[in-house]
Amino acid sequence: MNQVKSSDGKFLPSEVRMDFTTVNLALVNKYKIVLDAGHGGDDSGAIGPTGVYESTVNLAITLKVGTILNKNGVDTVYTRTTNDIPYSDDETKNLQYRCDISNAAKPNYFVCIHANAFDIEAANGTETYYYGGSAAGEKLAQAVQTEIIKATGKVDRGIKVPNYYVLNHTNAAAILIETLFITNPTEESLLASNSYQDLLAKAIATGILKTLGITNITY
Ligand SMILES: [Zn+2]
């Protein structure tokens, strides 16, 4: 390559080198979230007064959350995308399977989505759990809880630290959202509604994205 001429006809020195970067950093997603739709398989979770399965509602909302996260350049890993789950006859094995997926994926956050249940139909509202002692988990739990209440106007039951298997056995900062009470007739019908699932999913995704520092959100 010692016969290369410059534009004015002079020979260039043989050692002309140009360095340029070929990696487009914008194509590499910075963040990853594991999304865990509660229950599934033989485990329906709680069942509403008219027979709506918690497992069905959880999955619908979870997939909608994932779609919004993907639109905003955040990678998602699901513990399930259908009603099928392994070990559905063994709760501990099934929960550990979900934790194993998260621990292998090494996400920024593990986000588990459920609906609440209580013996008294009047019980209502939203609460979000996090693994105690995790400042990152607490921050995400509060952000998601705040966005849900802002979107729904439902009763704010706050953020709490329970003793839950998936929160205790995931390495990532972890939260578990109890969207609404499926045992409450009004909230059951909202949970079963496609447009209300969209509303909840938008709120949950917004809380996650804002916590990641993404504020110019596409829905
Ligand atoms: Zn549940």
Side-chain angles (χ1 to χ4, degrees):
M1 288 291 284
N2 52 10
Q3 295 301 308
V4 176
K5 289 179 180 176
S6 67
S7 56
D8 63 359
K10 290 177 184 162
F11 289 112
L12 290 170
S14 59
E15 283 293 315
V16 173
R17 293 187 181 188
M18 294 176 75
D19 292 321
F20 49 92
T21 305
T22 54
V23 176
N24 184 348
L25 292 175
L27 296 177
V28 181
N29 287 343
K30 271 169 75 178
Y31 300 114
K32 187 193 292 175
I33 305 294
V34 169
L35 293 171
D36 179 40
H39 310 285
D42 295 339
D43 170 18
S44 65
I47 300 176
T50 72
V52 175
Y53 280 12
E54 187 201 338
S55 55
T56 307
V57 166
N58 294 343
L59 180 60
I61 295 169
T62 299
L63 294 176
K64 289 174 187 287
V65 171
T67 300
I68 299 170
L69 294 181
N70 291 159
K71 276 187 192 170
N72 290 278
V74 173
D75 287 337
T76 48
V77 174
Y78 297 94
T79 59
R80 69 180 177 104
T81 55
T82 69
N83 190 51
D84 293 329
I85 54 167
Y87 315 114
S88 76
D89 56 345
D90 185 327
E91 190 184 11
T92 303
K93 272 192 182 172
N94 174 261
L95 294 176
Q96 185 58 48
Y97 162 81
R98 296 167 194 256
C99 297
D100 289 345
I101 288 176
S102 183
N103 294 341
K106 298 184 171 61
N108 297 88
Y109 295 110
F110 174 86
V111 176
C112 183
I113 296 174
H114 282 251
N116 223 334
F118 198 61
D119 298 343
I120 300 164
E121 279 194 353
N124 67 104
T126 301
E127 57 195 29
T128 302
Y129 307 144
Y130 64 100
Y131 177 71
S134 166
E138 182 175 5
K139 187 180 172 201
L140 179 66
Q142 188 57 67
V144 168
Q145 177 75 11
T146 298
E147 292 297 331
I148 293 175
I149 300 304
K150 202 160 78 180
T152 63
K154 293 292 179 187
V155 170
D156 184 355
R157 302 173 63 93
I159 62 171
K160 299 173 181 178
V161 177
N163 186 22
Y164 273 15
Y165 192 96
V166 292
L167 297 181
N168 295 348
H169 293 82
T170 41
N171 298 332
I175 67 168
L176 187 150
I177 304 157
E178 297 279 11
T179 49
L180 290 173
F181 279 75
I182 201 165
T183 44
N184 176 301
T186 306
E187 297 195 351
E188 178 200 30
S189 71
L190 292 175
L191 285 168
S193 146
N194 186 54
S195 59
Y196 209 85
Q197 290 169 359
D198 281 332
L199 182 86
L200 287 166
K202 275 186 190 175
I204 294 166
T206 301
I208 296 168
L209 289 165
K210 281 187 178 175
T211 304
L212 291 172
I214 299 167
T215 51
N216 188 10
I217 300 171
T218 305
Y219 297 102

